Amino acid sequence: MRADLEIIDEWIQPNIRVLDLACGPGELLYHLINHKQISGYGLEIGPEDLNTCIQKGIPVLEQNIDEGLQNFEDQSFDLVLMTHALQQFRRPDLLIDEMLRIGKECIITFPNFGHWRSRLHLALKGRMPVSEFMPYNWYDTPNIHFFTFQDFERLCHEKDIKVLRWAAVDGHLKDHWWIRSMPNLFSETAIFHISRKA
Amino acid sequence: MPDAIPVDSVGLVTPQIAHFDKPLTLTCGQTLASYQLIYETYGTLNQDASNAILICHALSGDHHAAGYHDMADKKPGWWDSAIGPGKAIDTNRYFVIALNNLGGCCGSTGPTSINPETDQVWGADFPIVTVEDWVESQARLADLLGIHTFAAIVGGSLGGMQALEWSIRFPERLKSAVIVASAPKLSTQNIAFNEVARQSIRRDPDFFDGRYLDNESVPTNGLGLARMLGHITYLSDDAMGEKFGRQMRHEQYQYNYGIEFEVESYLRYQGEAFTKRFDANTYMLMTKALDYFDPAAQTNGDLAAVLSRAQCEFLLVSFTTDWRFSPERSEEIVNALIKAGKAVSYAKIEATEGHDAFLFPIPRYMQAVNSFLTRIADQVTLPARQGESEHAR
């Protein structure tokens, strides 16, 4: 399993109800269903990923997240997940509100645009960074919002969202002490576990 | 019919008839003292009878879902594109049962059968049957065939309603339900269309209040008109536009009421062809069964509450241009299943064919059904039996 998913896995309790937004081929859900006896659903619109989920027996729903999540009731899931997708939606701020309406807690991972290599790329080349992790050109990228570790923290603060814990990992999705000390500069992927303040 | 039977066909099949002498009390209160169901099977039932799939047909379907009855047949069964060796519903792994529902006109007891009490054709006196009655009679057929638990119950449109009813009524008797282009109940507009269809039949002078067979007549105009109306609702605006556009019969307008546009000719043909194979009383019955279906009524309209009884896994499929049973209708079922915490997957398939799409072998649709059923087959621990040709020949 992908290293960032392993970190998330450690944070997840068994036997809970999970909604995985933009679940892709369902790697994490498959693991959680089979090893932690969670019940859950993935949301996905990619035909191949959908079919992979159906093949593996992962409950998956073809639903476009940008068109809303009104069909899910308030606090109807213990956990709402979104890995590496928040930057692809029209209004991440409203989406986070929705996730926290549906789920008691949320785990969100995203690429940190504040990573030193992105900064250097833009500063020295004067062009939008293209990296192994974000291999797209500015015109064809599905990532329509770029934000940093700090940006996300700030949004949580503004929205009065409680950060239960966070992790920051490098391009190989590994955790190191220097990343932890300066996550905004050294992390390529940020992982946040959040909830509404009680 | 091609010269040789295609390798992915179930081949030549012979319908069978099951007689039931145990009276069946219907939802409407009447009782059928005895009745028969006509059915076909494809593939082989395994030793522990765990590999059976039941196919539930829609409004005008029947028991002949796959294969050919005769080498001279022009067309195979109505869902041949989905049922066969290596197809989405794979007869190499599954034993597939397709029947004609009670009230039908293709060999099961219905309005064209003889009422044993009067020795006359039932006609309009045949009691109105419901989806619940069908499911009850299907369960009795399963008992007769020695099948306690179906690996899957599969249906499109009205057939999907039967699969849904199965999951509520006999939750322990199916592992999975595949519900395609269906709805948890009809919308007001759906009922309205059905009423126009029924009225067009009833107002045909040849209908004789449903006793047309006694009068040696057939309400072809009314039934044909009902089918024309139905046909429009099965197709999408786009599909009709693509197929016919404003193509004309003649080079110039004729300024009369003859056939001016090709679509008129097509609808007339469809209407007429239908009257040759279908019974008007059965058509009326089927539309009533659709109207009455509303499983959530027993839980004060709470679909999630009634579906909380279900134990099977669900696959729901809808089609983007279907306006008869739009994707939103399938999503009502999906959302209720989520609320009830049931295992459900849902695919919304891009298709131009409208409601009719459920009968077409659209690749992503067939792939979803196949992926789902393959895993269910693995789950009921069936060895893959590639290349065997034990299926009904």
Side-chain angles (χ1 to χ4, degrees):
Chain A
M1 198 160 61
R2 244 166 54 197
D4 58 335
L5 301 184
E6 275 173 25
I7 294 173
I8 297 171
D9 178 39
E10 286 175 20
W11 296 356
I12 297 176
Q13 300 299 314
N15 303 309
I16 61 168
R17 219 166 121 81
V18 177
L19 183 65
D20 187 352
L21 303 178
C23 67
E27 196 181 4
L28 182 58
L29 272 179
Y30 186 78
H31 172 80
L32 293 173
I33 289 167
N34 290 296
H35 294 95
K36 291 207 163 153
Q37 290 72 47
I38 63 112
S39 65
Y41 308 91
L43 255 57
E44 184 51 56
I45 51 169
E48 279 175 31
D49 285 339
L50 267 159
N51 191 56
T52 304
C53 289
I54 293 172
Q55 256 170 359
K56 292 199 284 191
I58 302 163
V60 65
L61 312 169
E62 183 161 353
Q63 181 172 341
N64 188 337
I65 294 164
D66 265 336
E67 287 169 11
L69 299 168
Q70 300 89 331
N71 53 320
F72 295 99
E73 299 195 339
D74 293 0
Q75 302 293 291
S76 53
F77 285 85
D78 297 305
L79 180 68
V80 179
L81 284 169
M82 180 175 268
T83 59
H84 267 275
L86 188 65
Q87 72 282 359
Q88 301 185 357
F89 295 98
R90 268 181 225 144
R91 285 293 298 269
D93 56 334
L94 303 180
L95 184 50
I96 293 169
D97 288 341
E98 274 295 86
M99 290 172 71
L100 286 168
R101 175 186 67 77
I102 297 161
K104 297 181 180 100
E105 294 175 5
C106 297
I107 294 176
I108 295 171
T109 79
F110 59 88
N112 169 34
F113 203 67
H115 185 260
W116 65 268
R117 212 180 288 119
S118 300
R119 300 187 194 192
L120 209 59
H121 193 115
L122 187 59
L124 295 181
K125 295 190 178 170
R127 295 180 56 201
M128 290 302 284
V130 176
S131 66
E132 195 187 335
F133 221 66
M134 289 187 286
Y136 303 97
N137 290 299
W138 64 271
Y139 46 82
D140 62 5
T141 178
N143 304 317
I144 58 174
H145 295 280
F146 289 110
F147 52 103
T148 70
F149 188 97
Q150 270 181 11
D151 285 332
F152 189 84
E153 267 189 322
R154 196 184 189 109
L155 181 67
C156 290
H157 181 73
E158 281 168 14
K159 284 183 171 287
D160 221 17
I161 291 166
K162 190 174 171 186
V163 176
L164 300 172
R165 56 189 140 188
W166 58 267
V169 294
D170 67 9
H172 304 289
L173 305 163
K174 291 275 159 47
D175 193 2
H176 298 288
W177 65 267
W178 65 85
I179 303 177
R180 265 199 99 69
S181 65
M182 295 183 81
N184 199 45
L185 193 60
F186 290 122
S187 72
E188 287 200 43
T189 292
I191 309 171
F192 278 83
H193 189 173
I194 57 175
S195 76
R196 279 264 168 239
K197 279 187 178 158
Chain B
M1 173 73 209
D3 294 336
I5 285 173
V7 287
D8 63 351
S9 167
V10 298
L12 283 177
V13 289
T14 309
Q16 297 166 73
I17 289 173
H19 294 275
F20 298 86
D21 290 323
K22 186 180 158 199
L24 180 67
T25 302
L26 305 168
T27 314
C28 68
Q30 292 192 56
T31 299
L32 282 177
S34 64
Y35 55 95
Q36 68 177 37
L37 295 173
I38 190 166
Y39 66 98
E40 290 181 1
T41 69
Y42 324 110
T44 311
L45 187 64
N46 63 5
Q47 209 128 48
D48 57 352
S50 63
N51 70 332
I53 287 184
L54 178 69
I55 306 290
C56 303
H57 69 71
L59 188 64
S60 60
D62 56 31
H63 57 287
H64 185 37
Y68 300 85
H69 284 162
D70 191 286
M71 291 301 281
D73 285 356
K74 283 191 187 122
K75 279 186 187 168
W78 59 269
W79 214 11
D80 194 80
S81 59
I83 304 166
K87 291 183 184 172
I89 300 167
D90 188 352
T91 51
N92 283 333
R93 303 197 73 182
Y94 280 116
F95 176 66
V96 179
I97 304 165
L99 80 158
N100 183 216
N101 278 331
L102 214 50
C105 53
C106 303
S108 290
T109 301
T112 53
S113 312
I114 301 292
N115 178 354
E117 281 175 32
T118 60
D119 271 338
Q120 304 263 310
V121 171
W122 275 100
D125 294 337
F126 194 83
I128 285 185
V129 286
T130 61
V131 169
E132 292 89 326
D133 298 330
W134 286 336
V135 168
E136 193 65 42
S137 65
Q138 288 161 0
R140 291 190 183 182
L141 178 63
D143 292 341
L144 189 84
L145 297 172
I147 295 155
H148 177 266
T149 308
F150 283 102
I153 296 184
V154 183
S157 192
L158 176 56
M161 291 175 168
Q162 293 159 55
L164 189 67
E165 178 64 24
W166 263 95
S167 75
I168 297 165
R169 199 177 185 84
F170 297 113
E172 74 293 347
R173 296 197 66 173
L174 66 160
K175 294 275 186 216
S176 71
V178 178
I179 298 171
V180 184
S182 196
K185 62 175 182 234
L186 288 198
S187 68
T188 318
Q189 190 193 45
N190 292 149
I191 295 171
F193 275 122
N194 281 347
E195 175 57 7
V196 175
R198 284 189 295 265
Q199 285 301 324
S200 71
I201 293 169
R202 297 184 70 86
R203 293 182 188 198
D204 185 333
D206 292 332
F207 183 63
F208 292 101
D209 281 331
R211 302 230 56 97
Y212 44 88
L213 291 180
D214 298 341
N215 290 278
E216 287 173 14
S217 86
V218 180
T220 46
N221 287 321
L223 182 58
L225 195 56
R227 182 62 171 178
M228 283 166 79
L229 175 73
H231 213 86
I232 297 169
T233 69
Y234 304 148
L235 299 176
S236 69
D237 194 10
D238 284 351
M240 279 184 122
E242 221 165 87
K243 202 165 177 176
F244 305 105
R246 289 179 60 89
Q247 273 173 58
M248 288 174 17
R249 212 8 117 64
H250 313 281
E251 276 184 22
Q252 290 174 333
Y253 288 167
Q254 303 294 300
Y255 297 105
N256 62 27
Y257 297 104
I259 289 176
E260 202 73 275
F261 296 99
E262 284 299 341
V263 67
E264 297 172 295
S265 155
Y266 172 77
L267 283 176
R268 287 187 200 191
Y269 171 79
Q270 288 293 336
E272 200 191 318
F274 189 66
T275 62
K276 292 188 178 120
R277 72 173 180 94
F278 215 80
D279 176 63
N281 282 318
T282 289
Y283 196 84
M284 304 245 299
L285 273 181
M286 296 283 171
T287 62
K288 287 304 271 185
L290 272 163
D291 289 3
Y292 289 131
F293 183 67
D294 182 11
Q298 52 194 299
T299 46
N300 297 316
D302 187 344
L303 188 60
V306 73
L307 282 171
S308 66
R309 293 179 208 160
Q311 292 171 19
C312 65
E313 290 181 47
F314 291 85
L315 173 67
L316 276 98
V317 181
S318 72
F319 302 97
T320 51
T321 52
D322 183 353
W323 58 281
R324 175 97 178 189
F325 288 159
S326 68
E328 289 74 19
R329 306 308 314 282
S330 290
E331 286 157 22
E332 285 174 40
I333 301 174
V334 172
N335 289 331
L337 288 168
I338 292 170
K339 196 177 167 193
K342 304 299 170 187
V344 53
S345 285
Y346 169 57
K348 184 160 90 177
I349 307 292
E350 199 81 45
T352 56
E353 293 89 346
H355 186 57
D356 258 0
F358 85 89
L359 294 166
F360 285 82
I362 298 162
R364 200 161 83 76
Y365 161 39
M366 289 291 104
Q367 187 187 41
V369 172
N370 184 249
S371 296
F372 183 80
L373 290 179
T374 299
R375 192 183 48 80
I376 297 291
D378 292 340
Q379 210 168 292
V380 293
T381 61
L382 296 171
R385 297 186 305 177
Q386 289 294 317
E388 269 194 43
S389 54
E390 283 178 25
H391 43 270
R393 291 247 159 190

Short mmCIF file of all heavy atoms in Angstrom, two decimals, chain A residues 17 41 47 50-51 54-62 71-73 77, chain B residues 334-335 337-339 341-342 344-348 364 367-368 371-372 375:
data_model
loop_
_atom_site.label_atom_id
_atom_site.label_comp_id
_atom_site.label_asym_id
_atom_site.label_seq_id
_atom_site.Cartn_x
_atom_site.Cartn_y
_atom_site.Cartn_z
N ARG A 17 -17.72 3.47 10.02
CA ARG A 17 -18.38 3.71 8.74
C ARG A 17 -17.59 4.81 8.00
O ARG A 17 -17.45 5.92 8.50
CB ARG A 17 -19.80 4.20 9.04
CG ARG A 17 -20.86 3.68 8.12
CD ARG A 17 -22.22 3.95 8.74
NE ARG A 17 -23.05 4.78 7.88
CZ ARG A 17 -23.74 4.33 6.85
NH1 ARG A 17 -23.70 3.06 6.53
NH2 ARG A 17 -24.46 5.14 6.11
N TYR A 41 -18.11 3.22 1.58
CA TYR A 41 -18.35 3.42 0.16
C TYR A 41 -17.27 4.32 -0.39
O TYR A 41 -16.77 5.20 0.31
CB TYR A 41 -19.70 4.10 -0.09
CG TYR A 41 -20.86 3.42 0.60
CD1 TYR A 41 -21.25 3.80 1.88
CD2 TYR A 41 -21.55 2.39 -0.04
CE1 TYR A 41 -22.32 3.16 2.51
CE2 TYR A 41 -22.61 1.75 0.59
CZ TYR A 41 -22.99 2.14 1.86
OH TYR A 41 -24.03 1.52 2.48
N PRO A 47 -14.14 5.59 -15.12
CA PRO A 47 -14.72 4.29 -15.46
C PRO A 47 -13.84 3.10 -15.07
O PRO A 47 -14.34 2.10 -14.54
CB PRO A 47 -14.88 4.35 -16.98
CG PRO A 47 -14.88 5.79 -17.32
CD PRO A 47 -14.06 6.48 -16.28
N LEU A 50 -13.76 2.70 -11.28
CA LEU A 50 -15.06 2.17 -10.85
C LEU A 50 -15.13 0.67 -11.04
O LEU A 50 -15.54 -0.07 -10.15
CB LEU A 50 -16.18 2.81 -11.68
CG LEU A 50 -16.84 4.06 -11.12
CD1 LEU A 50 -17.50 4.84 -12.23
CD2 LEU A 50 -17.87 3.70 -10.06
N ASN A 51 -14.72 0.25 -12.22
CA ASN A 51 -14.80 -1.17 -12.51
C ASN A 51 -13.87 -1.98 -11.62
O ASN A 51 -14.23 -3.07 -11.16
CB ASN A 51 -14.49 -1.42 -13.99
CG ASN A 51 -14.82 -2.83 -14.39
OD1 ASN A 51 -15.96 -3.28 -14.23
ND2 ASN A 51 -13.84 -3.57 -14.87
N ILE A 54 -15.60 -2.45 -8.36
CA ILE A 54 -16.68 -3.44 -8.45
C ILE A 54 -16.08 -4.85 -8.47
O ILE A 54 -16.55 -5.74 -7.78
CB ILE A 54 -17.56 -3.19 -9.70
CG1 ILE A 54 -18.34 -1.87 -9.54
CG2 ILE A 54 -18.54 -4.34 -9.93
CD1 ILE A 54 -19.10 -1.42 -10.78
N GLN A 55 -15.00 -4.99 -9.24
CA GLN A 55 -14.32 -6.29 -9.31
C GLN A 55 -13.85 -6.77 -7.95
O GLN A 55 -13.92 -7.94 -7.62
CB GLN A 55 -13.09 -6.16 -10.21
CG GLN A 55 -13.26 -6.75 -11.57
CD GLN A 55 -12.10 -6.38 -12.49
OE1 GLN A 55 -11.17 -5.66 -12.11
NE2 GLN A 55 -12.18 -6.88 -13.69
N LYS A 56 -13.33 -5.81 -7.17
CA LYS A 56 -12.76 -6.18 -5.87
C LYS A 56 -13.82 -6.25 -4.76
O LYS A 56 -13.50 -6.56 -3.62
CB LYS A 56 -11.67 -5.17 -5.48
CG LYS A 56 -10.44 -5.27 -6.39
CD LYS A 56 -9.21 -4.63 -5.77
CE LYS A 56 -9.24 -3.14 -5.81
NZ LYS A 56 -7.96 -2.50 -5.45
N GLY A 57 -15.06 -5.93 -5.12
CA GLY A 57 -16.11 -6.00 -4.11
C GLY A 57 -16.14 -4.81 -3.18
O GLY A 57 -16.64 -4.90 -2.06
N ILE A 58 -15.61 -3.68 -3.63
CA ILE A 58 -15.66 -2.46 -2.84
C ILE A 58 -16.90 -1.68 -3.25
O ILE A 58 -17.03 -1.32 -4.42
CB ILE A 58 -14.41 -1.60 -3.10
CG1 ILE A 58 -13.14 -2.38 -2.79
CG2 ILE A 58 -14.48 -0.29 -2.31
CD1 ILE A 58 -11.89 -1.78 -3.39
N PRO A 59 -17.81 -1.42 -2.32
CA PRO A 59 -18.99 -0.63 -2.70
C PRO A 59 -18.56 0.73 -3.24
O PRO A 59 -17.89 1.50 -2.55
CB PRO A 59 -19.76 -0.49 -1.38
CG PRO A 59 -19.34 -1.67 -0.57
CD PRO A 59 -17.88 -1.86 -0.92
N VAL A 60 -18.92 1.00 -4.47
CA VAL A 60 -18.47 2.24 -5.11
C VAL A 60 -19.64 2.90 -5.83
O VAL A 60 -20.49 2.23 -6.41
CB VAL A 60 -17.30 1.96 -6.08
CG1 VAL A 60 -17.75 1.08 -7.26
CG2 VAL A 60 -16.68 3.25 -6.60
N LEU A 61 -19.70 4.22 -5.74
CA LEU A 61 -20.82 4.94 -6.33
C LEU A 61 -20.30 5.91 -7.37
O LEU A 61 -19.35 6.66 -7.10
CB LEU A 61 -21.57 5.73 -5.24
CG LEU A 61 -21.90 4.92 -3.98
CD1 LEU A 61 -22.38 5.84 -2.88
CD2 LEU A 61 -22.93 3.85 -4.29
N GLU A 62 -20.91 5.89 -8.54
CA GLU A 62 -20.52 6.84 -9.57
C GLU A 62 -21.23 8.16 -9.29
O GLU A 62 -22.42 8.30 -9.53
CB GLU A 62 -20.91 6.30 -10.95
CG GLU A 62 -20.45 7.20 -12.07
CD GLU A 62 -20.42 6.49 -13.42
OE1 GLU A 62 -20.62 5.28 -13.48
OE2 GLU A 62 -20.19 7.19 -14.42
N ASN A 71 -26.89 14.18 -1.05
CA ASN A 71 -27.55 12.91 -0.81
C ASN A 71 -27.04 12.20 0.45
O ASN A 71 -27.64 11.22 0.89
CB ASN A 71 -27.41 11.99 -2.02
CG ASN A 71 -25.98 11.79 -2.48
OD1 ASN A 71 -25.20 12.74 -2.49
ND2 ASN A 71 -25.63 10.60 -2.85
N PHE A 72 -25.95 12.71 1.03
CA PHE A 72 -25.45 12.09 2.26
C PHE A 72 -25.94 12.90 3.47
O PHE A 72 -25.85 14.12 3.49
CB PHE A 72 -23.93 12.01 2.25
CG PHE A 72 -23.40 11.11 1.18
CD1 PHE A 72 -22.94 11.62 -0.02
CD2 PHE A 72 -23.39 9.73 1.35
CE1 PHE A 72 -22.49 10.77 -1.03
CE2 PHE A 72 -22.94 8.87 0.36
CZ PHE A 72 -22.48 9.41 -0.84
N GLU A 73 -26.44 12.19 4.45
CA GLU A 73 -27.05 12.86 5.60
C GLU A 73 -26.00 13.37 6.58
O GLU A 73 -24.87 12.88 6.63
CB GLU A 73 -28.00 11.90 6.30
CG GLU A 73 -29.11 11.46 5.36
CD GLU A 73 -30.27 10.80 6.09
OE1 GLU A 73 -30.07 10.32 7.22
OE2 GLU A 73 -31.36 10.78 5.51
N PHE A 77 -21.49 9.38 8.67
CA PHE A 77 -20.29 8.55 8.61
C PHE A 77 -19.35 8.91 9.76
O PHE A 77 -19.32 10.06 10.20
CB PHE A 77 -19.57 8.74 7.27
CG PHE A 77 -20.27 8.04 6.13
CD1 PHE A 77 -21.31 8.68 5.47
CD2 PHE A 77 -19.91 6.76 5.75
CE1 PHE A 77 -21.98 8.03 4.44
CE2 PHE A 77 -20.58 6.12 4.72
CZ PHE A 77 -21.62 6.75 4.06
N VAL B 334 -30.28 3.86 -4.41
CA VAL B 334 -28.89 3.85 -3.91
C VAL B 334 -28.79 4.59 -2.58
O VAL B 334 -28.22 4.07 -1.61
CB VAL B 334 -27.94 4.51 -4.95
CG1 VAL B 334 -26.54 4.69 -4.37
CG2 VAL B 334 -27.88 3.69 -6.23
N ASN B 335 -29.38 5.78 -2.52
CA ASN B 335 -29.27 6.57 -1.29
C ASN B 335 -29.97 5.91 -0.11
O ASN B 335 -29.49 5.97 1.02
CB ASN B 335 -29.83 7.98 -1.52
CG ASN B 335 -28.91 8.80 -2.42
OD1 ASN B 335 -27.70 8.59 -2.44
ND2 ASN B 335 -29.47 9.70 -3.19
N LEU B 337 -30.27 2.70 0.24
CA LEU B 337 -29.40 1.58 0.62
C LEU B 337 -28.21 2.06 1.45
O LEU B 337 -27.78 1.39 2.39
CB LEU B 337 -28.93 0.81 -0.62
CG LEU B 337 -30.00 -0.03 -1.32
CD1 LEU B 337 -29.52 -0.50 -2.69
CD2 LEU B 337 -30.37 -1.25 -0.47
N ILE B 338 -27.68 3.23 1.09
CA ILE B 338 -26.57 3.80 1.86
C ILE B 338 -27.05 4.11 3.27
O ILE B 338 -26.40 3.78 4.26
CB ILE B 338 -26.02 5.08 1.19
CG1 ILE B 338 -25.34 4.73 -0.13
CG2 ILE B 338 -25.04 5.80 2.11
CD1 ILE B 338 -24.99 5.93 -0.98
N LYS B 339 -28.22 4.73 3.34
CA LYS B 339 -28.77 5.08 4.64
C LYS B 339 -29.00 3.83 5.50
O LYS B 339 -28.79 3.86 6.71
CB LYS B 339 -30.09 5.84 4.43
CG LYS B 339 -30.55 6.59 5.67
CD LYS B 339 -31.81 7.39 5.40
CE LYS B 339 -32.41 7.85 6.73
NZ LYS B 339 -33.77 8.35 6.56
N GLY B 341 -27.22 1.28 5.29
CA GLY B 341 -25.92 0.65 5.51
C GLY B 341 -25.69 -0.62 4.71
O GLY B 341 -24.94 -1.50 5.12
N LYS B 342 -26.31 -0.74 3.55
CA LYS B 342 -26.17 -1.94 2.73
C LYS B 342 -25.03 -1.78 1.73
O LYS B 342 -24.70 -0.68 1.33
CB LYS B 342 -27.47 -2.23 1.97
CG LYS B 342 -28.69 -2.35 2.86
CD LYS B 342 -28.56 -3.49 3.86
CE LYS B 342 -29.66 -3.46 4.89
NZ LYS B 342 -29.45 -4.45 5.96
N VAL B 344 -23.67 -1.49 -1.61
CA VAL B 344 -24.21 -1.14 -2.92
C VAL B 344 -23.16 -0.47 -3.77
O VAL B 344 -22.37 0.34 -3.28
CB VAL B 344 -25.47 -0.23 -2.78
CG1 VAL B 344 -25.20 0.98 -1.94
CG2 VAL B 344 -26.00 0.20 -4.16
N SER B 345 -23.13 -0.85 -5.04
CA SER B 345 -22.33 -0.12 -6.03
C SER B 345 -23.29 0.42 -7.08
O SER B 345 -24.35 -0.14 -7.32
CB SER B 345 -21.29 -1.04 -6.68
OG SER B 345 -20.24 -1.27 -5.76
N TYR B 346 -22.86 1.53 -7.68
CA TYR B 346 -23.76 2.21 -8.62
C TYR B 346 -22.97 2.74 -9.80
O TYR B 346 -21.95 3.40 -9.62
CB TYR B 346 -24.47 3.36 -7.90
CG TYR B 346 -25.22 4.31 -8.81
CD1 TYR B 346 -26.23 3.84 -9.66
CD2 TYR B 346 -24.94 5.67 -8.82
CE1 TYR B 346 -26.92 4.71 -10.48
CE2 TYR B 346 -25.63 6.55 -9.64
CZ TYR B 346 -26.63 6.06 -10.48
OH TYR B 346 -27.31 6.91 -11.29
N ALA B 347 -23.43 2.41 -10.99
CA ALA B 347 -22.80 2.94 -12.20
C ALA B 347 -23.83 3.70 -13.03
O ALA B 347 -24.93 3.22 -13.26
CB ALA B 347 -22.22 1.79 -13.03
N LYS B 348 -23.46 4.92 -13.40
CA LYS B 348 -24.33 5.73 -14.26
C LYS B 348 -23.68 5.75 -15.64
O LYS B 348 -22.65 6.38 -15.85
CB LYS B 348 -24.42 7.15 -13.69
CG LYS B 348 -25.38 8.04 -14.45
CD LYS B 348 -25.83 9.22 -13.62
CE LYS B 348 -24.94 10.42 -13.78
NZ LYS B 348 -25.43 11.59 -13.03
N ARG B 364 -19.40 -0.58 -21.14
CA ARG B 364 -19.14 -0.30 -19.72
C ARG B 364 -20.23 -0.89 -18.82
O ARG B 364 -19.97 -1.29 -17.69
CB ARG B 364 -19.02 1.21 -19.50
CG ARG B 364 -18.29 1.55 -18.23
CD ARG B 364 -17.77 2.97 -18.24
NE ARG B 364 -18.76 3.95 -17.87
CZ ARG B 364 -19.17 4.17 -16.62
NH1 ARG B 364 -18.69 3.45 -15.62
NH2 ARG B 364 -20.06 5.09 -16.36
N GLN B 367 -19.58 -4.60 -18.69
CA GLN B 367 -18.39 -4.84 -17.88
C GLN B 367 -18.72 -4.75 -16.39
O GLN B 367 -18.27 -5.56 -15.59
CB GLN B 367 -17.33 -3.80 -18.25
CG GLN B 367 -15.99 -4.05 -17.59
CD GLN B 367 -15.02 -2.90 -17.87
OE1 GLN B 367 -15.39 -1.73 -17.83
NE2 GLN B 367 -13.78 -3.24 -18.16
N ALA B 368 -19.55 -3.76 -16.03
CA ALA B 368 -19.92 -3.60 -14.62
C ALA B 368 -20.69 -4.82 -14.13
O ALA B 368 -20.41 -5.36 -13.06
CB ALA B 368 -20.75 -2.33 -14.44
N SER B 371 -18.23 -7.78 -13.96
CA SER B 371 -17.28 -7.69 -12.84
C SER B 371 -17.98 -8.04 -11.53
O SER B 371 -17.45 -8.76 -10.69
CB SER B 371 -16.72 -6.27 -12.72
OG SER B 371 -15.98 -5.95 -13.86
N PHE B 372 -19.18 -7.51 -11.37
CA PHE B 372 -19.96 -7.77 -10.16
C PHE B 372 -20.29 -9.25 -10.02
O PHE B 372 -20.04 -9.87 -8.98
CB PHE B 372 -21.24 -6.92 -10.20
CG PHE B 372 -22.10 -7.01 -8.98
CD1 PHE B 372 -21.78 -6.28 -7.84
CD2 PHE B 372 -23.23 -7.80 -8.97
CE1 PHE B 372 -22.59 -6.35 -6.71
CE2 PHE B 372 -24.04 -7.88 -7.85
CZ PHE B 372 -23.72 -7.16 -6.71
N ARG B 375 -17.32 -11.71 -9.33
CA ARG B 375 -16.90 -11.77 -7.93
C ARG B 375 -17.90 -12.55 -7.08
O ARG B 375 -17.53 -13.32 -6.21
CB ARG B 375 -16.70 -10.38 -7.35
CG ARG B 375 -15.99 -10.40 -6.01
CD ARG B 375 -15.89 -9.01 -5.45
NE ARG B 375 -17.16 -8.33 -5.52
CZ ARG B 375 -18.16 -8.52 -4.67
NH1 ARG B 375 -18.03 -9.35 -3.68
NH2 ARG B 375 -19.30 -7.87 -4.82
#
